[in-house]
Amino acid sequence: MNEFVEYADGGALATGLAAAVASDLRSALAAKGGATLAVPGGSTPGPFLTALAAEELDWSKIAVCPTDERWAPPDHERSNERMIRATLMDAGATPVFLPFWREGIAPAEAAPLVAEAFAPHLPLDVCVMGMGADMHCASLFPGGDGLAEAMDARSNAVIAPLTAPGAPEPRITLTAARLAEAGRVYLLITGAEKRNAMLTAYVESNPLIAPVGAILRRAAHAETHWSP
Protein backbone atom coordinates (compact mmCIF):
# COMPACT_ATOMS: atom_id res chain seq x y z
CA MET A 1 0.00 0.00 0.00
CA ASN A 2 1.32 3.42 -0.98
CA GLU A 3 -0.09 6.07 1.36
CA PHE A 4 -0.03 9.65 0.11
CA VAL A 5 0.85 12.55 2.41
CA GLU A 6 0.46 16.07 1.02
CA TYR A 7 1.99 19.28 2.39
CA ALA A 8 1.32 22.93 1.67
CA ASP A 9 4.94 23.72 0.81
CA GLY A 10 8.48 22.41 0.81
CA GLY A 11 9.27 23.57 4.32
CA ALA A 12 6.33 21.65 5.78
CA LEU A 13 7.34 18.62 3.72
CA ALA A 14 10.91 18.71 5.06
CA THR A 15 9.86 18.91 8.71
CA GLY A 16 6.96 16.48 8.37
CA LEU A 17 9.01 13.79 6.69
CA ALA A 18 11.88 14.34 9.12
CA ALA A 19 9.52 13.79 12.05
CA ALA A 20 8.17 10.57 10.51
CA VAL A 21 11.63 9.19 9.77
CA ALA A 22 12.91 10.15 13.23
CA SER A 23 9.99 8.31 14.82
CA ASP A 24 10.81 5.18 12.82
CA LEU A 25 14.47 5.41 13.80
CA ARG A 26 13.57 5.75 17.47
CA SER A 27 11.42 2.65 17.22
CA ALA A 28 14.27 0.70 15.65
CA LEU A 29 16.72 1.92 18.27
CA ALA A 30 14.37 0.89 21.07
CA ALA A 31 13.76 -2.52 19.53
CA LYS A 32 17.29 -3.55 18.65
CA GLY A 33 19.73 -0.85 19.74
CA GLY A 34 20.68 0.31 16.25
CA ALA A 35 19.18 1.49 12.98
CA THR A 36 20.08 1.87 9.32
CA LEU A 37 18.76 4.68 7.11
CA ALA A 38 19.17 5.07 3.35
CA VAL A 39 18.65 8.52 1.86
CA PRO A 40 18.56 9.85 -1.71
CA GLY A 41 20.94 12.16 -3.48
CA GLY A 42 20.26 15.07 -5.77
CA SER A 43 19.00 18.50 -4.75
CA THR A 44 15.45 17.81 -3.50
CA PRO A 45 16.36 15.98 -0.24
CA GLY A 46 18.56 18.77 1.17
CA PRO A 47 15.91 20.53 3.30
CA PHE A 48 14.60 17.20 4.62
CA LEU A 49 18.10 16.08 5.65
CA THR A 50 18.77 19.39 7.37
CA ALA A 51 15.47 19.07 9.24
CA LEU A 52 16.29 15.49 10.20
CA ALA A 53 19.56 16.63 11.77
CA ALA A 54 17.53 18.75 14.20
CA GLU A 55 15.63 15.71 15.50
CA GLU A 56 16.73 14.34 18.86
CA LEU A 57 18.30 10.98 18.02
CA ASP A 58 21.21 8.88 19.22
CA TRP A 59 23.11 9.28 15.98
CA SER A 60 26.04 7.21 17.24
CA LYS A 61 23.83 4.13 16.84
CA ILE A 62 22.43 5.02 13.41
CA ALA A 63 24.13 4.07 10.14
CA VAL A 64 23.35 6.26 7.13
CA CYS A 65 24.00 5.40 3.49
CA PRO A 66 22.99 6.78 0.12
CA THR A 67 20.46 4.83 -1.91
CA ASP A 68 22.92 5.14 -4.79
CA GLU A 69 26.06 6.94 -5.85
CA ARG A 70 27.37 8.61 -8.95
CA TRP A 71 30.85 7.24 -9.50
CA ALA A 72 32.71 10.35 -8.45
CA PRO A 73 34.89 11.10 -5.40
CA PRO A 74 33.26 12.59 -2.29
CA ASP A 75 34.52 16.10 -3.01
CA HIS A 76 32.95 16.13 -6.49
CA GLU A 77 29.97 18.45 -6.97
CA ARG A 78 27.80 15.56 -8.22
CA SER A 79 28.64 13.20 -5.35
CA ASN A 80 25.65 12.10 -3.29
CA GLU A 81 27.94 11.55 -0.33
CA ARG A 82 29.02 15.17 -0.58
CA MET A 83 25.40 16.36 -0.53
CA ILE A 84 24.51 14.19 2.48
CA ARG A 85 27.51 15.44 4.43
CA ALA A 86 26.77 19.07 3.49
CA THR A 87 23.19 18.83 4.77
CA LEU A 88 22.57 16.14 7.38
CA MET A 89 26.03 16.06 8.88
CA ASP A 90 27.02 19.70 8.57
CA ALA A 91 23.72 20.52 10.32
CA GLY A 92 24.87 18.58 13.37
CA ALA A 93 23.99 14.90 12.91
CA THR A 94 26.83 12.47 13.62
CA PRO A 95 25.77 9.09 12.21
CA VAL A 96 27.98 6.23 11.11
CA PHE A 97 28.27 6.92 7.39
CA LEU A 98 28.46 3.98 5.00
CA PRO A 99 30.05 5.23 1.75
CA PHE A 100 29.72 3.65 -1.67
CA TRP A 101 32.74 5.29 -3.28
CA ARG A 102 35.91 3.24 -3.54
CA GLU A 103 38.91 5.04 -4.98
CA GLY A 104 40.85 3.62 -7.90
CA ILE A 105 38.43 0.89 -9.02
CA ALA A 106 35.44 0.66 -11.33
CA PRO A 107 31.84 0.31 -10.07
CA ALA A 108 31.67 -3.38 -11.01
CA GLU A 109 34.76 -4.06 -8.90
CA ALA A 110 33.48 -1.94 -6.03
CA ALA A 111 30.01 -3.48 -5.85
CA PRO A 112 30.97 -6.67 -3.96
CA LEU A 113 33.18 -4.70 -1.57
CA VAL A 114 30.37 -2.28 -0.75
CA ALA A 115 27.91 -5.15 -0.41
CA GLU A 116 30.18 -6.91 2.08
CA ALA A 117 30.47 -3.75 4.17
CA PHE A 118 26.70 -3.30 4.13
CA ALA A 119 25.78 -6.86 5.12
CA PRO A 120 25.74 -6.24 8.91
CA HIS A 121 23.38 -3.27 8.44
CA LEU A 122 20.66 -5.00 6.42
CA PRO A 123 17.74 -5.00 6.10
CA LEU A 124 17.32 -1.25 6.10
CA ASP A 125 15.07 0.08 8.83
CA VAL A 126 14.11 3.16 6.82
CA CYS A 127 14.60 3.97 3.15
CA VAL A 128 13.87 7.43 1.75
CA MET A 129 13.89 7.52 -2.04
CA GLY A 130 13.76 10.30 -4.58
CA MET A 131 12.28 9.96 -8.05
CA GLY A 132 12.76 11.45 -11.49
CA ALA A 133 10.02 12.36 -13.92
CA ASP A 134 11.15 9.30 -15.94
CA MET A 135 10.04 7.13 -12.97
CA HIS A 136 13.56 6.14 -11.89
CA CYS A 137 14.56 5.91 -8.26
CA ALA A 138 18.02 5.49 -6.76
CA SER A 139 20.04 4.71 -9.92
CA LEU A 140 17.41 2.32 -11.29
CA PHE A 141 16.86 4.10 -14.60
CA PRO A 142 14.51 2.86 -17.33
CA GLY A 143 16.77 1.80 -20.18
CA GLY A 144 19.80 1.56 -17.94
CA ASP A 145 22.42 -1.09 -18.58
CA GLY A 146 22.01 -3.74 -15.88
CA LEU A 147 18.49 -2.68 -14.87
CA ALA A 148 16.87 -6.11 -15.22
CA GLU A 149 19.32 -7.70 -12.81
CA ALA A 150 19.03 -4.82 -10.34
CA MET A 151 15.20 -5.01 -10.40
CA ASP A 152 15.00 -8.78 -9.82
CA ALA A 153 12.70 -9.18 -6.81
CA ARG A 154 14.17 -12.62 -6.00
CA SER A 155 17.79 -11.50 -6.09
CA ASN A 156 20.00 -11.65 -3.02
CA ALA A 157 22.30 -8.99 -4.49
CA VAL A 158 22.85 -5.89 -2.37
CA ILE A 159 24.59 -3.52 -4.79
CA ALA A 160 24.38 -3.26 -8.57
CA PRO A 161 26.57 -1.28 -10.99
CA LEU A 162 24.60 0.53 -13.70
CA THR A 163 24.96 3.09 -16.42
CA ALA A 164 22.08 5.52 -16.86
CA PRO A 165 20.99 6.86 -20.26
CA GLY A 166 22.57 10.26 -20.79
CA ALA A 167 24.38 10.31 -17.43
CA PRO A 168 27.97 11.58 -17.49
CA GLU A 169 29.25 8.89 -15.10
CA PRO A 170 28.47 5.26 -14.18
CA ARG A 171 26.74 4.55 -10.89
CA ILE A 172 26.19 1.95 -8.21
CA THR A 173 22.91 1.49 -6.41
CA LEU A 174 21.13 -0.56 -3.81
CA THR A 175 19.10 -3.18 -5.65
CA ALA A 176 15.32 -3.01 -5.83
CA ALA A 177 15.01 -5.97 -3.47
CA ARG A 178 17.08 -4.25 -0.78
CA LEU A 179 15.18 -0.98 -1.15
CA ALA A 180 11.77 -2.64 -1.02
CA GLU A 181 12.54 -4.81 2.01
CA ALA A 182 13.17 -1.80 4.26
CA GLY A 183 10.91 -1.60 7.29
CA ARG A 184 9.58 1.74 6.03
CA VAL A 185 9.88 3.13 2.51
CA TYR A 186 9.28 6.81 1.86
CA LEU A 187 9.15 8.53 -1.52
CA LEU A 188 10.09 12.22 -1.37
CA ILE A 189 8.86 14.25 -4.35
CA THR A 190 7.83 17.79 -5.21
CA GLY A 191 5.89 19.38 -8.06
CA ALA A 192 2.97 18.35 -10.24
CA GLU A 193 5.13 16.58 -12.83
CA LYS A 194 6.58 14.14 -10.31
CA ARG A 195 3.22 13.58 -8.64
CA ASN A 196 1.75 12.57 -11.98
CA ALA A 197 4.77 10.37 -12.71
CA MET A 198 4.36 8.60 -9.35
CA LEU A 199 0.68 7.91 -10.03
CA THR A 200 1.57 6.50 -13.45
CA ALA A 201 4.40 4.42 -12.02
CA TYR A 202 2.26 2.88 -9.31
CA VAL A 203 -0.10 1.30 -11.85
CA GLU A 204 2.56 0.40 -14.45
CA SER A 205 3.04 -3.37 -14.31
CA ASN A 206 6.44 -3.47 -16.00
CA PRO A 207 9.19 -2.74 -13.43
CA LEU A 208 11.66 -1.94 -16.21
CA ILE A 209 9.45 0.95 -17.31
CA ALA A 210 8.64 2.27 -13.84
CA PRO A 211 11.18 1.05 -11.27
CA VAL A 212 9.83 3.29 -8.52
CA GLY A 213 6.33 1.86 -8.86
CA ALA A 214 7.58 -1.69 -8.50
CA ILE A 215 9.40 -0.83 -5.27
CA LEU A 216 6.41 1.01 -3.79
CA ARG A 217 4.16 -1.98 -4.50
CA ARG A 218 6.64 -4.51 -3.09
CA ALA A 219 7.25 -2.61 0.15
CA ALA A 220 5.35 -3.72 3.24
CA HIS A 221 4.82 -0.08 4.21
CA ALA A 222 5.30 2.73 1.70
CA GLU A 223 4.40 6.39 1.86
CA THR A 224 4.75 9.18 -0.69
CA HIS A 225 5.40 12.61 0.82
CA TRP A 226 4.70 15.43 -1.64
CA SER A 227 4.47 19.19 -1.83
CA PRO A 228 3.77 21.50 -4.80
Side-chain angles (χ1 to χ4, degrees):
M1 180 178 181
N2 178 30
E3 299 179 24
F4 189 84
V5 183
E6 182 175 342
Y7 300 88
D9 54 45
L13 167 59
T15 57
L17 180 56
V21 169
S23 177
D24 295 337
L25 293 173
R26 291 188 193 103
S27 295
L29 290 170
K32 60 180 186 175
T36 305
L37 166 67
V39 297
S43 57
T44 301
F48 151 68
L49 291 170
T50 300
L52 183 60
E55 292 284 339
E56 189 173 341
L57 290 162
D58 187 349
W59 285 106
S60 68
K61 297 178 181 177
I62 299 172
V64 172
C65 66
T67 57
D68 63 310
E69 185 59 271
R70 297 153 174 159
W71 207 242
D75 59 352
H76 192 280
E77 63 180 8
R78 285 178 54 79
S79 166
N80 288 340
E81 177 179 341
R82 177 177 181 270
M83 187 280 296
I84 294 166
R85 291 186 181 278
T87 52
L88 179 69
M89 296 155 85
D90 283 1
T94 54
V96 177
F97 187 76
L98 305 175
F100 280 18
W101 168 254
R102 299 292 190 272
E103 186 173 1
I105 57 176
E109 298 172 277
L113 302 179
V114 177
E116 183 179 5
F118 266 65
H121 302 280
L122 293 172
L124 298 168
D125 293 291
V126 185
C127 175
V128 182
M129 304 188 303
M131 185 197 75
D134 61 355
M135 300 182 287
H136 87 267
C137 60
S139 281
L140 302 170
F141 283 83
D145 182 29
L147 180 64
E149 294 81 358
M151 290 300 302
D152 185 352
R154 299 164 297 178
S155 174
N156 292 321
V158 175
I159 299 290
L162 288 97
T163 55
E169 65 278 294
R171 301 168 179 239
I172 65 173
T173 183
L174 287 166
T175 61
R178 304 292 79 76
L179 295 167
E181 73 183 3
R184 296 272 178 157
V185 175
Y186 293 96
L187 180 63
L188 165 59
I189 54 173
T190 60
E193 183 182 31
K194 289 190 177 181
R195 177 175 179 165
N196 291 337
M198 182 276 295
L199 294 172
T200 299
Y202 196 70
V203 298
E204 170 56 60
S205 61
N206 187 342
L208 302 185
I209 294 176
V212 68
I215 293 167
L216 292 174
R217 291 192 302 272
R218 293 175 192 171
H221 184 100
E223 293 180 9
T224 296
H225 287 236
W226 175 85
S227 72

